[in-house]
């Protein structure tokens, strides 16, 4: 991408997915009106901490790259509502993840996560959480704090049990638990009256 990109002060959406961008130009961080940034399938191996300079950003698409981690700086994007990181190689999430208080959608499908940080449970606005096709063995007990959660996908993991707190997610409409190592589900599951 050319450095001249940084002069597009009014640019609100930049979609450069499905290209071979192994690194991002410094000009990108000068796009102070940017609300949507799509970097899906661009062969990125890391996300620079300068991402924090894009404060108006509402949607960030990073799916199908080669990311192994997310920078802590990402967690300072206060306006971020949708974060797509599916189909990467992420093994753990930043502890500061809970700072993303506007986040409504978090897609972590197809990574290498073995656990979810407790900080994730403080994302009060979160409506959709996708953690399918990982290696998660247990869930944080505080997951029940996500009272806005409508969709929870935990398919294809290594879960042996689901914490009691999940059964108190009153707004939950979709729950995917297929292809885990669960031997039973508790009667408390009947408390999820919004399931469809």
């Amino acid at each position: 991408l050319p450095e001249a990109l940084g002069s597009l002060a009014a640019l609100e959406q930049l979609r450069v997915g499905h290209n071979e961008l192994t690194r991002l130009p410094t000009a990108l961080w000068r796009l102070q009106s940017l609300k949507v940034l799509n970097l899906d399938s661009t062969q990125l191996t890391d996300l620079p901490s300068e991402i924090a300079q894009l404060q108006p950003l509402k949607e960030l698409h990073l799916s199908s790259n080669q990311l192994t981690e997310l920078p802590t700086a990402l967690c300072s994007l206060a306006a971020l509502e949708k974060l797509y990181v599916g189909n990467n190689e992420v093994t753990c999430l930043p502890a500061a993840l809970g700072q993303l208080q506007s986040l409504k959608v978090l897609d972590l499908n197809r990574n290498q996560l073995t656990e979810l940080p407790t900080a994730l449970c403080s994302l009060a606005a979160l409506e959709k959480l996708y953690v399918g096709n990982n290696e998660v063995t247990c869930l944080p007990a505080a997951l029940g704090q996500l009272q806005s959660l409508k969709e929870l996908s935990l398919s294809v993991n290594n879960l042996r049990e689901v914490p009691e707190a999940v059964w108190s997610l009153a707004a939950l409409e979709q729950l995917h638990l297929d292809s885990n190592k669960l031997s039973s589900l508790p009667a408390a599951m009947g408390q999820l009256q919004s399931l469809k």
Side-chain angles (χ1 to χ4, degrees):
L1 293 174
E3 286 297 318
L5 179 74
S7 64
L8 302 174
L11 190 67
E12 293 188 1
Q13 296 189 25
L14 179 60
R15 299 176 188 275
V16 290
H18 302 276
N19 282 292
E20 297 179 11
L21 306 175
T22 51
R23 66 174 198 82
L24 299 173
T26 54
L28 182 61
W29 317 126
R30 294 197 306 267
L31 299 175
Q32 293 302 302
S33 297
L34 204 61
K35 290 182 172 58
V36 177
L37 177 58
N38 189 319
L39 298 168
D40 286 347
S41 302
T42 52
Q43 300 185 10
L44 285 180
T45 55
D46 73 310
L47 184 65
S49 58
E50 287 84 357
I51 189 76
Q53 295 175 29
L54 301 178
Q55 284 300 307
L57 205 60
K58 290 185 178 291
E59 281 188 38
L60 179 57
H61 300 257
L62 298 167
S63 296
S64 301
N65 281 295
Q66 298 161 25
L67 300 173
T68 56
E69 63 181 3
L70 299 175
T72 300
L74 174 73
C75 302
S76 67
L77 295 174
L80 197 65
E81 295 179 359
K82 298 178 180 179
L83 176 58
Y84 300 92
V85 194
N87 201 24
N88 276 284
E89 299 167 17
V90 177
T91 56
C92 64
L93 300 171
L97 190 67
Q99 294 175 14
L100 296 173
Q101 288 299 300
S102 299
L103 201 63
K104 294 180 180 177
V105 178
L106 179 56
D107 181 355
L108 299 166
N109 282 333
R110 294 180 187 84
N111 276 286
Q112 296 174 12
L113 297 168
T114 56
E115 63 181 4
L116 300 177
T118 303
L120 182 139
C121 302
S122 61
L123 298 174
L126 197 63
E127 295 178 359
K128 298 178 181 182
L129 176 58
Y130 305 110
V131 195
N133 289 273
N134 276 280
E135 299 167 23
V136 177
T137 55
C138 63
L139 299 171
L143 205 61
Q145 294 174 14
L146 299 175
Q147 288 299 306
S148 298
L149 204 61
K150 293 179 181 176
E151 290 183 36
L152 177 57
S153 176
L154 298 164
S155 301
V156 195
N157 276 288
N158 294 316
L159 294 172
R160 294 191 179 279
E161 63 181 9
V162 180
E164 289 286 322
V166 170
W167 314 124
S168 65
L169 295 172
L172 202 62
E173 296 176 357
Q174 294 185 33
L175 175 61
H176 302 275
L177 294 169
D178 50 299
S179 299
N180 274 285
K181 296 182 177 178
L182 300 171
S183 57
S184 65
L185 292 173
M189 187 175 180
Q191 296 173 20
L192 299 176
Q193 294 297 305
S194 297
L195 277 185
K196 295 180 179 180

